[in-house]
Amino acid sequence: MTRSAAIDCGTNSIRLLIADITAPADGGPLQVSDVVREMRIVRLGQGVDATGRFADEALERTFAACEEYAELIRAHEPEHVRFVATSASRDAANRAAFFAGVRARLAVEAEVITGIEEAQLSFTGATVGAQAAADPAPTGPFLVMDLGGGSTELVTGAVGPAGAELTGAHSMDIGCVRLTERHLSSDPPTDAETAATISDIDAAYEAARTDVDVSSVRTVIGVAGTITTVTAAMLGLETYEPEAIHAARLAPDQLQATCHDLLHMPRAERAALPFMHPGRVDVIGSGALIFARLIDRITSDAQQPPAIYASETDILDGIAIGLSQRAAT
């Protein structure tokens, strides 16, 4: 058993997973047991699409979360720690201030990973978690969609005896924060704003098709906060329940209707939803539109309509599993 700590710092949220990773003696799939799983919405990517820089207040929010996470890491004593930064940190001109702040608080270096590595880690975390939780287990080939604040990753592949076997990956510069700030200023969005957002989504998907072939995909697994929040809405939850959301199978028609409702709902109505995190209220409409549009395009390109699942396991689990695998070699 290896205890690992994984930190994922994205455009909208920063998350921590401390987990015990066990490799069964019979060579079966790795077992991931949560010790701590935390999330703070810090909106690190606030304004980055427009200014190319981190806002001072966004850095302050992020560093405050890092201080909380440092206390948890000291308390639970993982053997390995990795801090991964994604879309917003690839774009910001003042990244040095971000790196220095993380180093001072956590005594680790923030690694700005590529969109492709982000996709690979998400694929591992999502497929391991969904196959362990869903009954019956979903079958490949898989497409994992990681819908973040600044970017959305698509990665295809299968899961074999040696683990993930990837066949394609692409990172698109579309995310719920980025497209909200770019297009959706009205409450609720106008038809013109929605059309402009769809145009960006379609252009990004067309570029992704050069790297990702979805024609043979049998299962789509969606990860990250937008998709799990849409799932909570579909399930009619009275509070955010990870156990109910994880490995839930999503009916395509209901998915499209739910995403439509979230996009066109006034902000005050979204804020009143019992499962809605306050930090997602202003960006869930954009995220829902991205999710619905991509599912529509992927389903049209697939030879047969794929099964669609939501997963609470994602890049965090992939990072923790990767740390365990490194330690074993």
Side-chain angles (χ1 to χ4, degrees):
M1 185 188 76
T2 303
R3 176 164 291 185
S4 299
I7 301 169
D8 167 40
C9 186
T11 302
N12 199 41
S13 64
I14 182 169
R15 301 178 303 141
L16 167 69
L17 171 64
I18 302 174
D20 291 331
I21 315 295
T22 304
D26 61 4
L30 292 173
Q31 298 173 357
V32 182
S33 301
D34 290 8
V35 177
V36 171
R37 192 182 288 263
E38 295 285 338
M39 185 272 287
R40 304 287 182 271
I41 290 187
V42 295
R43 196 63 59 83
L44 178 61
Q46 172 191 333
V48 169
D49 190 52
T51 68
R53 299 178 60 83
F54 290 128
D56 291 343
E57 60 268 32
L59 287 172
E60 290 173 8
R61 293 191 297 265
T62 304
F63 294 155
C66 287
E67 289 167 4
E68 292 184 63
Y69 290 174
E71 291 183 10
L72 289 167
I73 289 169
R74 285 192 292 269
H76 293 284
E77 299 182 328
E79 299 164 50
H80 311 282
V81 180
R82 187 181 185 193
F83 186 114
V84 163
T86 53
S87 178
S89 305
R90 291 194 288 268
D91 300 338
N94 57 338
R95 292 187 298 175
F98 169 67
F99 294 151
V102 170
R103 189 183 309 116
R105 290 162 176 83
L106 287 161
V108 297
E109 295 294 329
E111 300 177 49
V112 181
I113 62 173
T114 66
I116 299 305
E117 184 177 1
E118 186 177 354
Q120 293 167 334
L121 291 168
S122 293
F123 185 91
T124 297
T127 52
V128 167
Q131 287 192 307
D135 185 18
T139 57
F142 296 96
L143 168 67
V144 171
M145 180 192 304
D146 184 351
L147 202 169
S151 65
T152 297
E153 283 68 48
L154 300 178
V155 56
T156 53
V159 178
E165 300 171 354
L166 304 187
T167 57
H170 188 96
S171 180
M172 302 177 288
D173 283 334
I174 54 171
C176 60
V177 174
R178 191 185 296 271
L179 293 192
T180 298
E181 292 183 347
R182 188 180 295 174
H183 295 301
L184 303 182
S185 58
S186 301
D187 179 27
T190 66
D191 290 345
E193 290 170 348
T194 299
T197 307
I198 291 173
S199 179
D200 279 5
I201 298 167
D202 284 348
Y205 180 71
E206 287 299 325
R209 293 174 79 196
T210 63
D211 297 323
V212 177
D213 179 5
V214 304
S215 60
S216 62
V217 165
R218 295 186 63 186
T219 299
V220 176
I221 303 174
V223 303
T226 287
I227 291 172
T228 58
T229 301
V230 168
T231 303
M234 290 181 63
L235 296 175
L237 300 182
E238 289 301 316
T239 187
Y240 189 92
E241 300 177 36
E243 297 81 5
I245 293 165
H246 183 49
R249 185 164 178 175
L250 311 182
D253 290 348
Q254 188 183 3
L255 185 157
Q256 294 292 336
T258 301
C259 288
H260 178 275
D261 289 347
L262 288 169
L263 173 65
H264 293 285
M265 197 178 288
R267 189 185 193 283
E269 193 173 335
R270 296 196 303 271
L273 294 170
F275 51 80
M276 184 69 66
H277 191 289
R280 297 202 188 280
V281 171
D282 59 331
V283 297
I284 190 61
S286 171
L289 180 56
I290 295 168
F291 187 28
R293 186 65 176 179
L294 288 176
I295 288 295
D296 185 55
R297 295 295 307 272
I298 290 162
T299 300
S300 295
D301 285 347
Q303 293 171 358
Q304 61 184 42
I308 306 165
Y309 290 85
S311 176
E312 284 280 343
T313 61
D314 52 26
I315 188 173
L316 272 178
D317 302 77
I319 296 167
I321 289 168
L323 285 171
S324 175
Q325 291 171 333
R326 285 186 194 176
T329 59

